Every structure is written in structure tokens, then in C-alpha cells.
Amino acid sequence: MKKRAIITSIVSFVLLAAVVIAGLNAIFTVSGVRSSLSAYSEDGEREAYELQEKLDGFVGKSLTFLDLDEVEATVKQYPCFRVEEIAKRYPNKVEVSVRERREVFAYQTSEGKYAVLDDEVSYIYEKDTVKNRVSGDNVELFGFNFTFGEEIEGDYYPELVEVYREFHAVLGEVRANLISIDLVYPTDATQTRLHYFRLTTREGVRLIIEDPLNNAGEKAKLAVELYAGVGEHEEGAYLEDAEKVGGELRIYVINGKVTADYRTTD
């Protein structure tokens, strides 16, 4: 008798659980995926339309038991988009905020393809050219030795990020001003104090950041301010228009101070 009562209780519990689950499914069923998809390029607009169609595939599923990782995995099928937010909005909505990643840098790999990095200096994907999805070309990176995975690894990657952030803070869209960034080893690769970044501008002047392992951000800030004519600096320190079409602006440390020196070149 006691055994029968236990079995009856278990069956009742299972039935109750089934009823509750069925009720939740009935009440909290996804009726729509509300998306905010920010796209900047024609390709991005096309991909945003395709992505929305795939996200609509979640309509009809249980909101309660929906795994948001599945939604995120759907977005990741389009590497040029970055997830800003994914959330359940009870009783029946999923909200997704996604923006297109802005291409900035192109790095030629050993296979001849170009690894493309975005405005956070993060890896997006590989493609065949340096052309930007919106217009023009991406800034080419030379002399670096990067590997790409969940994180970018390689010498001078953190320093490249520092330099980019300072230039972006002043210039905004750096592609309008820069053609390339080279990591140069003029002699023995172990003599890091002799290494430098060479930033080639569209006007022609080259901005040389010496020994970037030390104070890369501070040196880059001085370089871009003198180039762009902003910030508080001594009169005559800024590049004149005639100086921007050629020569080199070298940034280095002397007596503990970050210093600039413009030199004409042949």
C-alpha cells in the first residue's frame, strides 16, 4: 500500500511538471525577434537582411527554455557583425542589438590572403584584397608577425593598439590619413630600442615612432597632434602644409622627455 502511494505521488508530480512546462510554453512562446541591426556598407545591409531571416527562425520556440547562446551563434555566422546585446523580453520577445564591424587594417598572411582587423583591432576574417567594405582601402600592416584566433598574438600587437587608439582619438577614421604602418627592424632584431613604427600618410610625410615598446601611446599622441595641428605645443612644432607632403617626423625620448624632430628626406 505504501509503495503504491509513493508511485502515485511520483506520477502526480511528473504530470504536474508536464502541465507546468506546457503552460510555460503556451504563455512564453517567442512571437518575434526584435532586432537593431546597424550596417554601414551595402554588403552589411544585405547580410543584415539575411541575418534577420535566420533570427526569425526562433519564432514559435519557448522563450523560457530558449538558449541565448544559440541566438549568438546565429549572429556569429556573419563575422562582420558584433553582438551588442541579446536579451529575453517576457512574455514573448527576444531583443538583439548588432552592429557591423568597421574594417580598418589589412595584414597579408603567408597564404597571400589578407587578415582584416576592425576598429577595435580585432580579427574579423580573411579576404583577397585590401579593399574596404565601405570604400577605399584598409591600412596595410607590414613587418608584423601575427597569429589569429580568439585573440591576436604577436610582437608589438599591444603597442599597435596603443598607437591606433591615439590616432583614432584625433583623426576618427584613420583610413582617410594613413596608407600603411610598418614595423621596421633596421639592424639586429634583438636590439628593440632600434625598432620603430613607420606610419605613411596619404599626403606623403612619414611618422616615425622610435622604440615603440616604451611609451608607444605617449609617442603616438605627440605624433598625431603635431601632424593634425591640435593640442598644446610650442609654436612651430606643428607640421606645416609643405612638410606634410614629404620627409619624416621622428618621435623619440631624450633626457626622459618624448620629443619630435622633423627631417627632410631625399
Side-chain angles (χ1 to χ4, degrees):
M1 193 73 177
K2 184 176 181 181
K3 184 177 180 181
R4 183 179 299 174
I6 293 173
I7 293 174
T8 302
S9 298
I10 292 173
V11 171
S12 299
F13 176 79
V14 171
L15 290 174
L16 178 61
V19 170
V20 170
I21 292 172
L24 289 174
N25 281 331
I27 297 172
F28 302 123
T29 297
V30 178
S31 64
V33 179
R34 189 160 50 201
S35 304
S36 173
L37 304 175
S38 299
Y40 312 116
S41 67
E42 290 184 6
D43 286 342
E45 291 177 359
R46 173 182 55 78
E47 291 175 357
Y49 178 80
E50 293 177 1
L51 176 57
Q52 182 62 62
E53 287 190 324
K54 291 187 177 182
L55 292 174
D56 288 341
F58 290 99
V59 172
K61 294 190 175 184
S62 168
L63 184 63
T64 304
F65 300 105
L66 178 64
D67 187 348
L68 293 181
D69 288 343
E70 291 184 35
V71 181
E72 186 170 4
T74 300
V75 177
K76 287 184 176 179
Q77 294 176 25
Y78 297 86
C80 278
F81 284 103
R82 172 177 280 112
V83 175
E84 302 279 280
E85 182 183 11
I86 297 177
K88 297 178 182 180
R89 301 300 184 203
Y90 287 95
N92 58 0
K93 299 289 184 183
V94 175
E95 289 188 357
V96 181
S97 178
V98 173
R99 71 173 177 87
E100 185 177 5
R101 300 164 70 181
R102 295 183 184 272
E103 295 183 1
V104 176
F105 296 108
Y107 170 89
Q108 191 167 28
T109 68
S110 58
E111 292 78 23
K113 298 280 190 177
Y114 289 92
V116 179
L117 313 183
D118 67 7
D119 54 359
E120 295 183 6
V121 202
S122 298
Y123 176 76
I124 306 177
Y125 59 1
E126 287 189 356
K127 63 182 184 179
D128 294 327
T129 73
V130 299
K131 296 297 181 183
N132 185 274
R133 277 166 68 93
V134 177
S135 64
D137 293 340
N138 290 313
V139 179
E140 286 199 67
L141 300 175
F142 297 104
F144 296 90
N145 185 22
F146 293 148
T147 57
F148 303 97
E150 288 294 325
E151 302 288 339
I152 298 176
E153 297 181 355
D155 292 342
Y156 288 98
Y157 173 70
E159 291 72 30
L160 174 65
V161 174
E162 285 187 63
V163 170
Y164 167 72
R165 286 175 177 167
E166 294 297 338
F167 273 72
H168 176 69
V170 173
L171 302 176
E173 176 57 88
V174 300
R175 291 189 307 111
N177 301 88
L178 298 182
I179 296 174
S180 63
I181 300 178
D182 296 64
L183 170 59
V184 182
Y185 302 85
T187 55
D188 185 351
T190 65
Q191 299 296 315
T192 58
R193 65 183 180 82
L194 300 178
H195 301 171
Y196 59 87
F197 286 175
R198 180 174 61 221
L199 290 75
T200 301
T201 69
R202 297 198 176 278
E203 296 95 330
V205 66
R206 292 179 294 276
L207 310 176
I208 308 297
I209 298 176
E210 297 186 0
D211 188 16
L213 285 179
N214 294 296
N215 302 315
E218 186 178 356
K219 292 172 182 174
K221 184 175 187 296
L222 178 60
V224 70
E225 288 185 350
L226 297 186
Y227 165 73
V230 300
E232 297 183 3
H233 301 284
E234 295 179 0
E235 186 176 352
Y238 304 103
L239 290 181
E240 301 289 342
D241 288 343
E243 293 174 326
K244 288 184 179 181
V245 299
E248 295 179 348
L249 180 68
R250 303 189 75 91
I251 310 295
Y252 54 94
V253 173
I254 186 169
N255 297 326
K257 181 181 178 181
V258 177
T259 305
D261 178 21
Y262 176 79
R263 307 172 187 178
T264 58
T265 56
D266 295 332

